[in-house]
Amino acid sequence: MYTENIERAKEQFGKLLEEQLKRVEVMKNQGDFLNYKELDTIIIGVCGGDGIGPAITGQAQRVLEFLLANEVASGNVEFRTIDGLTIERRAAENAAIPPVVLDELKECHVILKGPTTTPRKGDPWPNVESANVAMRKELDLFANVRPVRIPEQGIDWTFYRENTEGAYAVGSKGVHVTNDLGVDFTVVTTQGTERIIRAAFEYAKANGKTRVTAVTKANIIKTTDGKFLDIFKEIAKEYQDITADDWYIDIMTAKLVDEKRRRDFQVLVLPNLYGDILTDEAAEFQGGVGTAGSANIGKRYAMFEAIHGSAPRMVEEGRDIYADPCSVIRAGAMLLSHIGYVEESEKLYKALDICTITEKKLVITGRDTGATSAEFADYIMQTMKKM
Ligand code: IPM
Ligand code: MG
């Protein structure tokens, strides 16, 4: 019974395994992290994306160009605008990232990216893979670093979310074995796990953090989460000064709302899907996903983005000029420190705090009752001029 269905499923599964084993070989031969200090010119690609993306990303670019004016003038830094990562283009070409756009991205060293629309069932778009997920895979951006800070509550968390494997590795390639049976796959590799866990411990070591926590569901998802946890425990032995502990995702989700315990967590390292979920929860305490920035870091490329969506309705209603650019500007601050402009980055973080928390001379409401994104970017730049 169902022999044909099973054979077809096996064939599909076989192809997935071949692809993943190829990826393992690539990871085995991977070089070290790019050293930006050795480059003559650091190329920053600015990729607007969909909806409010181009409007807010354009403002973030103005702020970065202001901070790096001398570097741009001397040719140490170059900005490149990358158009074409729009849902219309991706739908027309039936590609998660149109090949021409991918080539342009690959000519940059770091990328500042606006939000991109991910088609869902029932949308007018074909079922193309998420541009985010595709970019993480294509550029091998394996570490998704998401800081969440609420100083007045003593919260200072840094999430190291694995970004290329887990439930996302072949998330759009599950198998409908029959009309009644669907199967998805979760992927873990030694190389992919080692590099994310090492990145988390190295970050902790370099930043004076004393605790790294792994989050899995290894009691149930025994093979993949089990492997992730085993590797975590092995690598932890190399970092004797850092406390390493592990929690299951369900209780961790609960602990993040436990005001007595949550401030004790520092660096958290976790597989892709748990990282996706837990970082939205964490960002909510800080003021919502719109307040968080996210760094997607690989050995050769790095991409920085806001974690909010593309808000197409704001564009339809002509309100995109009033969209809040702060989250993508925050992503810009992460980009600056990543490429070595630490002072400029700190200045920008400080200005963001002044403009959004302490002074708040302008407010963004998302409509004509508040400031435009351009006015807000001006406000941030004026604030930095006074520093
Ligand atoms: C995120 C987002 C993405 C993800 C979506 C937009 C594909 O939720 O960056 O967390 O699931 O990773
Ligand atoms: Mg998410």
Side-chain angles (χ1 to χ4, degrees):
M1 219 166 78
Y2 298 121
T3 316
E4 247 173 62
N5 301 63
I6 294 174
E7 283 311 313
R8 204 167 25 91
K10 278 192 200 163
E11 205 178 299
Q12 241 175 302
F13 184 51
K15 283 199 187 116
L16 295 183
L17 297 183
E18 277 168 24
E19 278 171 30
Q20 293 305 311
L21 288 169
K22 264 192 212 143
R23 205 169 58 78
V24 168
E25 290 310 312
V26 172
M27 283 191 283
K28 278 187 189 164
N29 296 314
Q30 206 169 37
D32 212 346
F33 284 99
L34 189 65
N35 184 349
Y36 299 100
K37 291 201 182 89
E38 284 171 4
L39 300 173
D40 292 332
T41 305
I42 303 177
I43 304 174
I44 303 177
V46 181
C47 188
D50 291 306
I52 58 171
I56 54 173
T57 312
Q59 296 309 323
Q61 181 174 351
R62 284 182 62 219
V63 172
L64 295 188
E65 281 177 338
F66 165 83
L67 278 166
L68 297 177
N70 291 336
E71 301 303 306
V72 172
S74 65
N76 291 341
V77 170
E78 181 190 326
F79 283 89
R80 282 198 197 161
T81 307
I82 299 172
D83 295 320
L85 195 66
T86 58
I87 185 65
E88 291 80 7
R89 259 291 278 289
R90 291 157 53 217
E93 297 193 24
N94 201 6
I97 303 177
V100 176
V101 176
L102 186 58
D103 288 342
E104 287 177 58
L105 290 169
K106 286 187 171 170
E107 281 168 21
C108 303
H109 298 109
V110 285
I111 295 150
L112 185 67
K113 186 183 124 323
T116 47
T117 300
T118 303
R120 288 191 283 207
K121 245 195 156 73
D123 279 356
W125 313 110
N127 187 23
V128 289
E129 190 187 18
S130 141
N132 270 12
V133 173
M135 201 182 293
R136 293 167 186 169
K137 282 187 201 159
E138 289 287 351
L139 306 181
D140 204 15
L141 308 171
F142 64 87
N144 193 327
V145 186
R146 298 184 166 184
V148 169
R149 304 216 159 96
I150 314 169
E152 60 278 19
Q153 293 180 28
I155 290 177
D156 185 354
W157 298 323
T158 308
F159 292 89
Y160 269 74
R161 164 185 174 189
E162 202 294 317
N163 216 18
T164 49
E165 307 198 331
Y168 282 63
V170 289
S172 55
K173 294 180 182 165
V175 182
H176 290 287
V177 182
T178 67
N179 281 339
D180 299 318
L181 175 65
V183 181
D184 268 316
F185 305 103
T186 295
V187 173
V188 77
T189 67
T190 305
Q191 290 71 18
T193 307
E194 279 177 359
R195 63 187 185 175
I196 186 69
I197 288 172
R198 221 171 268 289
F201 276 102
E202 284 298 314
Y203 169 83
K205 191 172 145 191
N207 292 277
K209 308 280 180 197
T210 52
R211 183 177 179 193
V212 178
T213 304
V215 185
T216 68
K217 188 75 187 176
N219 50 340
I220 302 298
I221 317 290
K222 292 188 192 288
T223 305
T224 47
D225 280 7
K227 187 171 175 67
F228 192 95
L229 188 53
D230 285 346
I231 293 176
F232 173 80
K233 288 182 177 161
E234 256 331 286
I235 292 181
K237 292 182 192 154
E238 295 172 31
Y239 297 85
Q240 290 295 335
D241 299 337
I242 296 173
T243 306
D245 60 342
D246 83 277
W247 294 66
Y248 295 136
I249 181 66
D250 48 353
I251 188 66
M252 178 50 96
T253 310
K255 281 298 137 195
L256 282 199
V257 287
D258 177 346
E259 290 181 2
K260 279 194 224 90
R261 302 286 298 278
R262 64 180 180 184
R263 62 173 83 101
D264 298 337
F265 296 111
Q266 299 179 16
V267 179
L268 298 99
V269 62
L270 57 184
N272 212 336
L273 183 59
Y274 308 141
D276 177 47
I277 299 168
L278 210 64
T279 55
D280 266 18
E281 186 194 9
E284 192 66 23
F285 304 136
Q286 180 184 265
V289 291
T291 60
S294 148
N296 298 264
I297 296 172
K299 298 221 165 154
R300 167 62 180 82
Y301 298 100
M303 182 267 280
F304 300 80
E305 61 181 342
I307 43 179
H308 58 67
S310 58
R313 194 178 317 152
M314 286 191 81
V315 184
E316 278 157 32
E317 294 171 4
R319 292 188 287 118
D320 47 339
I321 57 164
Y322 298 104
D324 189 345
C326 289
S327 158
V328 65
I329 293 177
R330 204 169 279 281
M334 296 177 92
L335 182 152
L336 287 173
S337 74
H338 181 75
I339 59 174
Y341 293 101
V342 177
E343 242 171 72
E344 288 77 359
S345 162
E346 305 268 298
K347 203 168 173 182
L348 182 50
Y349 279 122
K350 270 194 205 126
L352 277 165
D353 281 350
I354 293 172
C355 298
T356 61
I357 304 168
T358 49
E359 190 183 75
K360 258 187 164 174
K361 255 202 235 155
L362 289 184
V363 270
I364 296 262
T365 60
R367 45 189 78 242
D368 61 7
T369 51
T372 64
S373 351
E375 284 163 351
F376 209 85
D378 289 339
Y379 174 34
I380 291 174
M381 289 187 275
Q382 276 150 16
T383 305
M384 289 192 291
K385 273 187 200 154
K386 290 188 224 148
M387 285 177 173

